[in-house]
Amino acid sequence: MSRDSMTPAPDPWHVSDVDVDLHLELLGLERSEPDLALLAELHRRHVHTFPFANVDVLLGDHPGVAPATVSRRLLVERTGGYCFEHAQLFAATCESLGFTVTRRLGRVHSPVNTRTHMALEVRLDDERLLCDPGFGLSITEPMRMSDGAVRHEAHGEYSLHRDEAGGAETWELRRNGETAHVIDTLPVVPADVRGGHVITSTDPDAGPFTHRLIVSRFTSEGHHSLADTSLTIRRAERPTERRELTPAQSIETVRELDVSLSPDRAAGLRRTLEARAGDGTAASR
């Protein structure tokens, strides 16, 4: 046996650091052949099980997006997370199941914004599929990557549009005709994810995460989204419902959306919301 044949296969994304078996257990799934039905069920169950949450960013103590940290935080501590966490966890499980996954970065709401969103392209036979488990309000199952493709969800109509920018292929995901994000096909390496996370979690001009609580999850009755003390509930074939909450009610809603909060963190988050309500920033943003 040659020395090369004894060298372990490289694992640049540290998939081995992710507890895939626990992920599947929490989703109520077993390992099986990688096909479209399994991928769709994995995607649907993931977004209905794990909340989108920026609590760590808002409190200023996010531990980073290394795969081992993501695995512990989302699967064991159940803190919720955002795109760089959800996408890495989902990608690791997909690859462990035998799917071919390419990590993609994208620009939220506008093609001129920073690449601070992470989504996934999964190849299955001759098909390319967009998986978007970490955007919050997005598709609940994979979407075929073909120009003009449409997917109807209870919370809106999604469409994909192919274009090019700087010689790279781009894919714009629209919700009800408005840009959700634009991903490109430029290569992505782990350092890009770390860099995107640093920008998103520290730069107040890069998005709302450093100055606004955002927690959301798909539930059996629809999609719940909390922004500071404003709760939006979207249900199929029913008007969108909006409620204004007190800071204490927001903390309870965070827990109801399945984000684990210790008493100390709940108290810190409540103080943050109360301070924002007191100086009017919650209403002004």
Side-chain angles (χ1 to χ4, degrees):
M1 181 178 295
S2 69
R3 182 180 180 85
D4 288 344
S5 65
M6 297 174 62
T7 302
D11 183 16
W13 291 102
H14 295 276
V15 170
S16 59
D17 289 345
V18 175
D19 193 341
V20 171
D21 289 333
L22 179 56
H23 188 201
L24 293 172
E25 178 184 332
L26 293 171
L27 297 180
L29 290 173
E30 296 182 355
R31 291 179 178 270
S32 59
E33 290 298 312
D35 59 17
L36 182 57
L38 176 61
L39 184 65
E41 193 68 9
L42 182 67
H43 197 299
R44 186 184 66 80
R45 294 197 187 197
H46 181 96
V47 299
H48 280 80
T49 302
F50 299 100
F52 181 102
N54 74 323
V55 174
D56 292 342
V57 173
L58 188 63
L59 293 180
D61 59 3
H62 197 293
V65 293
T69 302
V70 169
S71 182
R72 171 174 54 83
R73 298 287 282 168
L74 265 66
L75 300 179
V76 179
E77 298 175 7
R78 304 303 296 272
T79 60
Y82 70 137
C83 64
F84 297 118
E85 296 159 291
H86 285 281
Q88 288 195 92
L89 172 61
F90 193 89
T93 295
C94 284
E95 289 179 333
S96 178
L97 291 170
F99 290 101
T100 300
V101 180
T102 304
R103 291 147 181 88
R104 301 295 190 195
L105 291 181
R107 308 175 191 273
V108 177
H109 298 319
S110 168
V112 298
N113 284 337
T114 310
R115 297 165 80 221
T116 54
H117 179 58
M118 187 176 186
L120 305 167
E121 178 183 331
V122 178
R123 287 186 179 264
L124 192 60
D125 298 325
D126 293 328
E127 281 193 314
R128 300 169 66 189
L129 299 154
L130 172 67
C131 291
D132 198 25
F135 194 63
L137 183 63
S138 188
I139 52 178
T140 61
E141 294 186 8
M143 189 169 180
R144 287 179 173 84
M145 294 176 66
S146 59
D147 191 22
V150 173
R151 177 174 174 81
H152 297 280
E153 298 275 3
H155 51 280
E157 179 183 275
Y158 289 83
S159 59
L160 269 177
H161 305 270
R162 186 189 181 283
D163 205 340
E164 289 189 4
E169 180 183 67
T170 64
W171 290 90
E172 178 187 5
L173 179 68
R174 298 176 188 167
R175 176 177 175 267
N176 296 334
E178 296 186 359
T179 301
H181 56 70
V182 182
I183 63 170
D184 60 55
T185 55
L186 293 170
V188 177
V189 297
D192 295 324
V193 178
R194 294 193 298 272
H197 162 67
V198 169
I199 293 172
T200 306
S201 62
T202 62
D203 184 351
D205 294 325
F209 293 152
T210 62
H211 51 251
R212 193 177 196 185
L213 174 66
I214 300 176
V215 178
S216 68
R217 188 167 71 86
F218 288 94
T219 71
S220 59
E221 63 174 4
H223 184 269
H224 290 59
S225 179
L226 178 69
D228 279 344
T229 55
S230 297
L231 176 64
T232 301
I233 304 174
R234 297 174 175 87
R235 302 182 179 94
E237 300 180 357
R238 293 177 61 180
T240 297
E241 179 182 352
R242 292 182 173 84
R243 304 176 189 169
E244 289 303 317
L245 310 178
T246 66
Q249 289 171 329
S250 284
I251 299 303
E252 187 59 32
T253 300
V254 170
R255 286 177 164 143
E256 289 173 353
L257 293 176
D258 211 21
V259 176
S260 177
L261 286 177
S262 69
D264 286 347
R265 295 184 73 71
L269 187 57
R270 180 170 175 171
R271 286 193 297 270
T272 298
L273 294 176
E274 289 174 342
R276 288 172 48 71
D279 64 18
T281 54
S284 65
R285 289 192 185 274

